[in-house]
Amino acid sequence: MKAAILVRAGTESHEGLGRLVNAFETAKELKEAGDDVIIIFDGAGTEGLATLSDPGHRRHELYRAVADRISGACSFCANAFHVRDRLIHAQIKLLSEYEDHLSIRRLLVEGYQVLTF
């Protein structure tokens, strides 16, 4: 199975953090099952990624468990949410495949099932 987890949830609310954590938990489950899973961050998700990539965050261990499956974050959104430098520092690839955004079409063409959180 090929799954692309698209994360648009940030940490601005309890609900947003819950979706972010659920996305990471889903990625971890798929990874442990041996599935082809990647995680991509868009919109407020870029801010959520920057937050969980911080070693001081209480959910950082979950981030570390799936960090090798993170494909990247939207370049435009990283700028819009003012987290570009934090993502670069965390060595996250910034994606600008379509008009400075990530390409959902590319994921579909490559055969990924896209799950959005």
Side-chain angles (χ1 to χ4, degrees), residues 5 7 9-10 12 16-17 19 36 47-49 51 55-56 63 66 71-72 74 76 91 95 99 104-105 108 113-114:
I5 296 177
V7 183
E12 69 285 348
L17 179 59
R19 285 190 297 138
D36 180 358
E47 188 175 40
L49 174 58
T51 300
Y63 162 84
V66 295
S71 181
C74 175
F76 181 89
Q91 299 179 332
L95 305 172
E99 297 182 358
I104 303 298
R105 182 180 186 282
L108 297 171
Q113 295 180 52
V114 179

Side-chain angles (χ1 to χ4, degrees), residues 28-49:
K28 184 178 173 194
E29 178 185 11
L30 294 171
K31 175 184 172 178
E32 289 175 357
D35 296 321
D36 180 358
V37 58
I38 60 172
I39 316 165
I40 300 171
F41 297 82
D42 191 29
T46 60
E47 188 175 40
L49 174 58

Side-chain angles (χ1 to χ4, degrees), residues 42-108:
D42 191 29
T46 60
E47 188 175 40
L49 174 58
T51 300
L52 264 66
S53 71
D54 180 346
H57 193 275
R58 63 186 169 94
R59 299 302 300 203
H60 182 71
E61 284 300 315
L62 182 56
Y63 162 84
R64 286 180 28 141
V66 295
D68 63 327
R69 300 304 175 103
I70 296 172
S71 181
C74 175
S75 178
F76 181 89
C77 296
N79 282 327
F81 284 87
H82 310 289
V83 294
R84 180 182 195 83
D85 292 341
R86 290 169 58 195
L87 295 178
I88 290 171
H89 178 74
Q91 299 179 332
I92 303 296
K93 181 179 178 181
L94 297 178
L95 305 172
S96 57
E97 302 155 317
Y98 179 75
E99 297 182 358
D100 205 27
H101 291 273
L102 57 92
S103 172
I104 303 298
R105 182 180 186 282
R106 174 186 59 84
L107 299 172
L108 297 171

